[in-house]
Short mmCIF file of all heavy atoms in Angstrom, two decimals:
data_model
loop_
_atom_site.label_atom_id
_atom_site.label_comp_id
_atom_site.label_asym_id
_atom_site.label_seq_id
_atom_site.Cartn_x
_atom_site.Cartn_y
_atom_site.Cartn_z
N ILE A 38 73.82 77.90 78.10
CA ILE A 38 73.61 78.91 79.15
C ILE A 38 72.67 80.03 78.69
O ILE A 38 71.90 80.56 79.48
CB ILE A 38 74.98 79.49 79.63
CG1 ILE A 38 74.81 80.34 80.88
CG2 ILE A 38 75.68 80.27 78.55
CD1 ILE A 38 74.72 79.59 82.17
N SER A 39 72.69 80.35 77.38
CA SER A 39 71.81 81.40 76.85
C SER A 39 70.34 81.03 77.04
O SER A 39 69.51 81.87 77.41
CB SER A 39 72.10 81.66 75.36
OG SER A 39 72.02 80.44 74.65
N GLU A 40 70.04 79.74 76.80
CA GLU A 40 68.65 79.27 76.97
C GLU A 40 68.27 79.19 78.45
O GLU A 40 67.15 79.52 78.83
CB GLU A 40 68.48 77.90 76.27
CG GLU A 40 67.15 77.20 76.53
CD GLU A 40 65.89 78.00 76.15
OE1 GLU A 40 65.99 78.95 75.35
OE2 GLU A 40 64.82 77.67 76.69
N ILE A 41 69.23 78.77 79.30
CA ILE A 41 68.99 78.72 80.75
C ILE A 41 68.64 80.13 81.24
O ILE A 41 67.69 80.32 82.00
CB ILE A 41 70.24 78.20 81.51
CG1 ILE A 41 70.59 76.76 81.10
CG2 ILE A 41 70.07 78.34 83.02
CD1 ILE A 41 69.79 75.66 81.74
N SER A 42 69.41 81.12 80.77
CA SER A 42 69.18 82.52 81.17
C SER A 42 67.81 83.00 80.71
O SER A 42 67.08 83.67 81.47
CB SER A 42 70.26 83.43 80.58
OG SER A 42 71.53 83.00 80.98
N ALA A 43 67.45 82.67 79.47
CA ALA A 43 66.15 83.07 78.93
C ALA A 43 65.00 82.44 79.73
O ALA A 43 64.01 83.10 80.06
CB ALA A 43 66.03 82.69 77.46
N ARG A 44 65.16 81.15 80.09
CA ARG A 44 64.13 80.47 80.89
C ARG A 44 63.96 81.15 82.26
O ARG A 44 62.85 81.34 82.74
CB ARG A 44 64.51 79.00 81.10
CG ARG A 44 64.36 78.13 79.88
CD ARG A 44 64.63 76.66 80.23
NE ARG A 44 64.75 75.83 79.04
CZ ARG A 44 64.86 74.52 79.07
NH1 ARG A 44 64.89 73.88 80.23
NH2 ARG A 44 64.98 73.82 77.97
N TYR A 45 65.10 81.50 82.85
CA TYR A 45 65.08 82.15 84.18
C TYR A 45 64.37 83.50 84.08
O TYR A 45 63.51 83.83 84.91
CB TYR A 45 66.52 82.33 84.67
CG TYR A 45 66.62 83.00 86.01
CD1 TYR A 45 66.10 82.40 87.16
CD2 TYR A 45 67.26 84.23 86.15
CE1 TYR A 45 66.20 83.01 88.40
CE2 TYR A 45 67.36 84.85 87.39
CZ TYR A 45 66.83 84.23 88.51
OH TYR A 45 66.93 84.84 89.73
N LEU A 46 64.69 84.27 83.03
CA LEU A 46 64.05 85.59 82.85
C LEU A 46 62.56 85.43 82.59
O LEU A 46 61.75 86.22 83.07
CB LEU A 46 64.73 86.36 81.71
CG LEU A 46 66.14 86.88 82.03
CD1 LEU A 46 66.83 87.40 80.77
CD2 LEU A 46 66.09 88.01 83.07
N ARG A 47 62.20 84.40 81.81
CA ARG A 47 60.77 84.15 81.55
C ARG A 47 60.01 83.92 82.86
O ARG A 47 58.91 84.44 83.05
CB ARG A 47 60.62 82.90 80.66
CG ARG A 47 60.45 83.24 79.20
CD ARG A 47 60.20 82.01 78.34
NE ARG A 47 61.05 82.09 77.16
CZ ARG A 47 61.98 81.21 76.83
NH1 ARG A 47 62.17 80.13 77.59
NH2 ARG A 47 62.72 81.37 75.77
N ARG A 48 60.62 83.15 83.75
CA ARG A 48 59.97 82.88 85.04
C ARG A 48 59.84 84.15 85.87
O ARG A 48 58.81 84.38 86.51
CB ARG A 48 60.79 81.84 85.82
CG ARG A 48 60.59 80.42 85.31
CD ARG A 48 61.26 79.41 86.21
NE ARG A 48 60.65 79.38 87.53
CZ ARG A 48 61.00 78.53 88.49
NH1 ARG A 48 61.96 77.65 88.26
NH2 ARG A 48 60.43 78.55 89.67
N LEU A 49 60.89 84.98 85.85
CA LEU A 49 60.83 86.25 86.59
C LEU A 49 59.74 87.16 86.03
O LEU A 49 58.99 87.78 86.78
CB LEU A 49 62.19 86.98 86.50
CG LEU A 49 63.31 86.48 87.40
CD1 LEU A 49 64.58 87.28 87.13
CD2 LEU A 49 62.95 86.60 88.88
N VAL A 50 59.67 87.22 84.70
CA VAL A 50 58.65 88.06 84.03
C VAL A 50 57.26 87.58 84.41
O VAL A 50 56.38 88.38 84.73
CB VAL A 50 58.84 88.04 82.49
CG1 VAL A 50 57.62 88.62 81.79
CG2 VAL A 50 60.09 88.82 82.10
N LYS A 51 57.07 86.27 84.41
CA LYS A 51 55.76 85.70 84.76
C LYS A 51 55.40 86.05 86.21
O LYS A 51 54.28 86.50 86.49
CB LYS A 51 55.75 84.19 84.56
CG LYS A 51 54.35 83.59 84.75
CD LYS A 51 54.31 82.10 84.56
CE LYS A 51 52.90 81.53 84.66
NZ LYS A 51 52.11 82.03 85.81
N SER A 52 56.35 85.86 87.13
CA SER A 52 56.09 86.16 88.54
C SER A 52 55.75 87.63 88.74
O SER A 52 54.80 87.98 89.44
CB SER A 52 57.32 85.81 89.40
OG SER A 52 57.58 84.44 89.33
N ILE A 66 67.97 95.65 84.42
CA ILE A 66 68.55 94.41 84.93
C ILE A 66 69.88 94.69 85.61
O ILE A 66 70.68 95.50 85.14
CB ILE A 66 68.69 93.37 83.80
CG1 ILE A 66 67.29 92.87 83.40
CG2 ILE A 66 69.56 92.19 84.22
CD1 ILE A 66 67.26 91.73 82.42
N THR A 67 70.09 94.04 86.76
CA THR A 67 71.33 94.24 87.50
C THR A 67 72.30 93.10 87.20
O THR A 67 71.88 91.96 87.01
CB THR A 67 71.07 94.30 89.01
OG1 THR A 67 70.75 93.01 89.49
CG2 THR A 67 69.94 95.25 89.35
N LEU A 80 73.35 89.07 77.74
CA LEU A 80 72.10 89.27 78.50
C LEU A 80 70.96 89.84 77.66
O LEU A 80 69.84 89.31 77.71
CB LEU A 80 72.36 90.19 79.70
CG LEU A 80 72.41 89.51 81.07
CD1 LEU A 80 72.65 90.54 82.15
CD2 LEU A 80 71.12 88.77 81.37
N ALA A 83 69.42 87.06 75.67
CA ALA A 83 68.61 86.15 76.48
C ALA A 83 67.28 86.82 76.84
O ALA A 83 66.22 86.18 76.85
CB ALA A 83 69.36 85.76 77.75
N ALA A 87 63.25 86.01 75.92
CA ALA A 87 62.20 85.94 76.95
C ALA A 87 61.15 87.04 76.75
O ALA A 87 60.34 87.30 77.64
CB ALA A 87 62.83 86.06 78.33
N LEU A 89 61.57 90.29 76.62
CA LEU A 89 61.79 91.35 77.60
C LEU A 89 62.79 92.35 77.04
O LEU A 89 63.85 91.97 76.55
CB LEU A 89 62.34 90.73 78.90
CG LEU A 89 62.54 91.67 80.09
CD1 LEU A 89 61.20 92.13 80.65
CD2 LEU A 89 63.34 90.97 81.18
#
Side-chain angles (χ1 to χ4, degrees):
I38 191 81
S39 54
E40 172 57 21
I41 297 280
S42 303
R44 287 186 191 186
Y45 180 64
L46 288 169
R47 262 184 226 119
R48 283 188 65 177
L49 282 177
V50 167
K51 188 180 184 314
S52 297
I66 289 187
T67 72
L80 255 181
L89 184 69

